[in-house]
């Protein structure tokens, strides 16, 4: 029983005690630490909540249970996407107006840089 447990953990004396430790169970400590760090980075920022935080709230990532508005619905996502598309269209229109004004020589901005035109 104990020999089987030692073999599963990789600490039985196969080709040296310390070699067996680090090539067996000891090598998995890095993977366990990486998994823990990944979980801590992406979990909900509410204290002691193990859930994955998927919903931004300011600088925090919260789970649907702790987010003040709950999980966003499909309608919320669609509305926000539509609003962002409208804002982007307005920005593009304004940039085109500024470009045409500059090309006509308006705003006191030189159309060519470097002297002679």
């Amino acid at each position: 029983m104990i020999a089987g447990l030692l073999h599963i953990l990789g600490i039985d004396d196969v080709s040296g005690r310390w070699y067996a430790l680090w090539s067996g169970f000891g090598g998995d400590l890095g993977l366990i630490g990486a998994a823990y760090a990944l979980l801590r980075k992406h979990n909900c920022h509410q204290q002691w909540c193990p859930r994955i935080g998927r919903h931004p709230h300011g600088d925090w990532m919260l789970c649907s249970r702790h987010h003040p508005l709950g999980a966003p619905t499909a309608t919320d996502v669609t509305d926000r996407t539509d609003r962002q598309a409208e804002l982007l269209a307005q920005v593009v229109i304004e940039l085109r107006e500024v470009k045409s004004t500059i090309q006509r020589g308006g705003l006191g901005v030189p159309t060519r840089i470097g002297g002679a035109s």
Side-chain angles (χ1 to χ4, degrees):
M1 176 82 175
I2 292 177
L5 180 64
L6 292 176
H7 184 70
I8 289 172
L9 293 177
I11 55 177
D12 56 345
D13 194 8
V14 177
S15 58
R17 183 176 199 146
W18 297 111
Y19 172 79
L21 174 69
W22 289 116
S23 65
F25 179 69
D28 295 335
L29 293 177
L31 295 174
I32 293 168
Y36 176 75
L38 188 65
L39 177 66
R40 289 292 299 155
K41 169 121 176 81
H42 295 288
N43 73 332
C44 177
H45 282 129
Q46 179 69 29
Q47 187 174 9
W48 299 107
C49 180
R51 294 169 166 232
I52 301 297
R54 296 182 181 149
H55 310 290
H57 183 67
D59 292 336
W60 307 97
M61 289 299 285
L62 301 172
C63 65
S64 59
R65 176 178 285 178
H66 293 112
H67 195 276
L69 302 176
T73 63
T75 307
D76 294 337
V77 173
T78 304
D79 292 344
R80 184 171 180 166
T81 304
D82 292 344
R83 275 185 277 144
Q84 288 176 345
E86 290 171 4
L87 290 174
L88 182 61
Q90 289 175 357
V91 167
V92 168
I93 290 170
E94 290 178 12
L95 286 175
R96 286 181 181 160
E97 290 174 1
V98 169
K99 181 181 176 184
S100 66
T101 305
I102 290 173
Q103 287 175 344
R104 287 191 311 252
L107 298 178
V109 178
T111 56
R112 270 184 93 171
I113 298 175
S117 39

